[in-house]
Amino acid sequence: MPTEVTKQRSLGSKRLEKDSWSDLLPKLSLLDAPQTDVLLIDAQNDVEAVAAWLQEYQDSPQTLKSYRREAERLLLWLASQNNQLRDMNRELLRQYEAFLEDPQPAEQWVGPSKPRYHAQWRPFRGGLSPASRRQSLIILQGLYSWLVEAGWVRHNPFVLMRDKARRLNNQTQTIERYLEGDLWAWFWQWLNAPAKLTSEREAYEQARRRFIVSFAYLLAPRISEMANARMDDFQEREGRWWWVVVGKGSKLARIPVPNDMLECLIEWRGALELQGLPSYHEPTPLIRALDKHRGISDNQLYRLLKSTFSEAADALEAQNGKLAYVSALRRATPHWLRHTAITHQAQSGVSLRYLSESARHSKLDTTSRYLHIEDNEWHQEQQRHRLKSAPKTPSKPL
């Protein structure tokens, strides 16, 4: 663990949640004066300023979690360099990018997954991939923009990046973190293959796993939405079933439920010893723990899906499956199922308008990243450009 992390464990800043990360961060100064004349937040140091920013995301648990992680990494790194948020400039930003790719010294920064207060906890599991580094910079760019507006720092160093538009624009050309059609077909078949179940618990866990994956694929929920879903979120109106969800940004949405989802829901309720489809007044957890009553957290759900992908990767590798597919399963996260769902809907011909509504995107540009049709057409057209077959006789000199 970075030596700076262990210096103080009693920072009296705003607490965001139980076992707040901020207790592990150094208190660089009791009264870090802001850099501007007008301060619009109640903060006395960098940690409190970042805590104020994170408060804006209290209603989005997964966003809060990822933003807190990136902010914490930055604060720890700055502390290790004897710097503060106000000191970040273009050169330090360049150094931080390199650090994200290869956190050194590794024994100080990198380690296996451990509880946040464990002595062996480290901020990194390893160096970040290009996509993860890019996402980290996007988050931190937003942090600095907010801090500038709040009056805590004078400038946002990210605006000095020459290739900022290319690297930090969150609108990439297409979504690539999804399971291709053939891989999804194999994965779903593997998940539904008859298995030798030796106990009632194993049968329940298998039924739960099938339902979670089917829910993720058919309705494209975010993982926090899955963990918070209730039975009576499924509602019938004039003979049609809808899933009602409060999503990102506390936005209420109503999503059409396909027939396959209704069948999966009935099957899952059977595993819970419940009959038929949910009633209108049934505010009980949709996805449940082993006691068949309590709900499960988004972290538990995340680990369950990650272990499912890992098992699937092992099975596909044992079958001498395509190495690229094995690799995809090992890298896959639960959010890949949302990407897979939206991508496959687009490929099946769902119109962009309805696809955007189902995905609950605020902009059509976000949804359009899932459209791979033009890529396919472009690839087919490119096949027209070929090397001519070699002549049977040597060509004449030019």
Side-chain angles (χ1 to χ4, degrees), residues 77 87-98 157 160-161:
W77 181 80
D87 300 317
M88 178 64 84
N89 56 31
R90 183 64 187 92
E91 180 54 35
L92 280 178
L93 181 53
R94 188 175 290 108
Q95 294 175 24
Y96 187 64
E97 289 184 79
L160 301 177
M161 299 176 70

Side-chain angles (χ1 to χ4, degrees), residues 198-388:
T198 59
S199 68
E200 182 179 340
R201 170 174 171 168
E202 286 186 355
Y204 173 76
E205 289 181 319
Q206 180 69 357
R208 181 174 65 176
R209 188 161 68 169
R210 281 198 304 268
F211 176 73
I212 290 171
V213 172
S214 62
F215 181 21
Y217 181 73
L218 292 171
L219 292 178
R222 299 175 176 89
I223 194 166
S224 59
E225 296 166 353
M226 296 176 70
N228 294 324
R230 296 292 181 261
M231 285 290 180
D232 58 5
D233 290 341
F234 290 88
Q235 301 174 7
E236 185 180 19
R237 293 287 187 276
E238 298 184 357
R240 300 184 182 91
W241 280 85
W242 303 82
W243 176 48
V244 178
V245 56
V246 177
K248 191 173 182 180
S250 299
K251 294 180 180 178
L252 180 67
R254 192 179 64 159
I255 312 300
V257 178
N259 291 335
D260 283 1
M261 184 64 206
L262 294 178
E263 294 177 7
C264 291
L265 184 55
I266 292 173
E267 181 182 345
W268 170 235
R269 285 173 59 83
L272 295 173
E273 301 175 5
L274 300 171
Q275 298 298 317
L277 290 165
S279 64
Y280 184 74
H281 298 290
E282 199 172 344
T284 55
L286 177 65
I287 301 173
R288 304 188 184 183
L290 294 177
D291 64 3
K292 300 184 180 181
H293 296 287
R294 292 179 297 110
I296 65 175
S297 69
D298 51 355
N299 285 332
Q300 290 174 307
L301 187 55
Y302 184 95
R303 291 195 298 269
L304 191 154
L305 284 170
K306 279 293 292 181
S307 66
T308 299
F309 285 132
S310 180
E311 289 179 35
D314 291 341
L316 184 57
E317 189 172 39
Q319 297 175 12
N320 294 318
K322 191 174 178 180
L323 291 179
Y325 286 168
V326 173
S327 175
L329 287 171
R330 295 206 187 283
R331 291 183 291 111
T333 67
H335 203 67
W336 280 41
L337 287 174
R338 174 172 163 83
H339 290 324
T340 300
I342 300 171
T343 298
H344 289 187
Q345 287 181 57
Q347 293 173 341
S348 67
V350 176
S351 69
L352 184 61
R353 171 192 171 189
Y354 293 124
L355 188 63
S356 182
E357 291 287 340
S358 295
R360 289 160 287 131
H361 290 151
S362 58
K363 298 179 180 179
L364 283 178
D365 287 347
T366 303
T367 312
S368 65
R369 292 183 295 161
Y370 293 87
L371 303 179
H372 297 259
I373 298 174
E374 290 185 357
D375 283 352
N376 296 334
E377 294 178 352
W378 182 14
H379 198 277
Q380 291 174 3
E381 289 295 316
Q382 192 72 5
Q383 303 313 311
R384 299 174 182 271
H385 182 55
R386 304 180 60 188
L387 292 170
K388 305 301 181 183

Side-chain angles (χ1 to χ4, degrees), residues 13-250:
S13 64
K14 298 181 180 69
R15 296 184 64 84
L16 299 174
E17 58 185 37
K18 183 180 179 181
D19 297 334
S20 174
W21 58 272
S22 59
D23 283 351
L24 295 180
L25 292 172
K27 190 174 184 181
L28 299 179
S29 172
L30 287 173
L31 293 172
D32 290 340
Q35 284 193 302
T36 62
D37 296 332
V38 180
L39 181 63
L40 302 180
I41 57 175
D42 181 16
Q44 293 183 320
N45 52 60
D46 280 352
V47 171
E48 292 186 359
V50 171
W53 172 65
L54 291 173
Q55 289 281 2
E56 302 295 330
Y57 301 95
Q58 286 293 330
D59 295 333
S60 302
Q62 287 303 309
T63 300
L64 174 62
K65 181 180 177 181
S66 61
Y67 283 21
R68 184 175 59 235
R69 179 184 62 238
E70 298 308 326
E72 178 181 33
R73 286 171 171 171
L74 176 64
L75 287 173
L76 290 172
W77 181 80
L78 285 171
S80 73
Q81 306 295 309
N82 295 318
N83 287 313
Q84 300 178 49
L85 289 171
R86 68 182 63 180
D87 300 317
M88 178 64 84
N89 56 31
R90 183 64 187 92
E91 180 54 35
L92 280 178
L93 181 53
R94 188 175 290 108
Q95 294 175 24
Y96 187 64
E97 289 184 79
F99 170 76
L100 291 176
E101 182 177 8
D102 184 22
Q104 292 294 330
E107 64 274 10
Q108 183 176 325
W109 294 98
V110 180
S113 179
K114 295 289 182 182
R116 187 61 185 76
Y117 276 72
H118 195 283
Q120 296 179 359
W121 175 86
R122 300 291 185 274
F124 295 88
R125 306 286 79 78
L128 301 188
S129 68
S132 295
R133 295 198 301 273
R134 175 178 167 276
Q135 184 62 24
S136 177
L137 295 176
I138 290 171
I139 292 171
L140 296 177
Q141 175 190 226
L143 165 63
Y144 266 90
S145 293
W146 190 90
L147 292 174
V148 169
E149 294 298 321
W152 187 255
V153 297
R154 292 185 184 278
H155 69 279
N156 184 345
F158 292 85
V159 301
L160 301 177
M161 299 176 70
R162 181 169 178 264
D163 53 353
K164 173 178 175 289
R166 176 178 62 84
R167 299 177 58 202
L168 300 186
N169 182 355
N170 204 21
Q171 306 300 315
T172 55
Q173 290 186 336
T174 58
I175 291 295
E176 298 178 351
R177 292 175 296 169
Y178 71 101
L179 304 182
E180 296 181 12
D182 289 343
L183 178 55
W184 163 256
W186 177 91
F187 178 68
W188 183 242
Q189 185 179 31
W190 169 79
L191 197 60
N192 287 274
K196 295 180 180 180
L197 304 174
T198 59
S199 68
E200 182 179 340
R201 170 174 171 168
E202 286 186 355
Y204 173 76
E205 289 181 319
Q206 180 69 357
R208 181 174 65 176
R209 188 161 68 169
R210 281 198 304 268
F211 176 73
I212 290 171
V213 172
S214 62
F215 181 21
Y217 181 73
L218 292 171
L219 292 178
R222 299 175 176 89
I223 194 166
S224 59
E225 296 166 353
M226 296 176 70
N228 294 324
R230 296 292 181 261
M231 285 290 180
D232 58 5
D233 290 341
F234 290 88
Q235 301 174 7
E236 185 180 19
R237 293 287 187 276
E238 298 184 357
R240 300 184 182 91
W241 280 85
W242 303 82
W243 176 48
V244 178
V245 56
V246 177
K248 191 173 182 180
S250 299

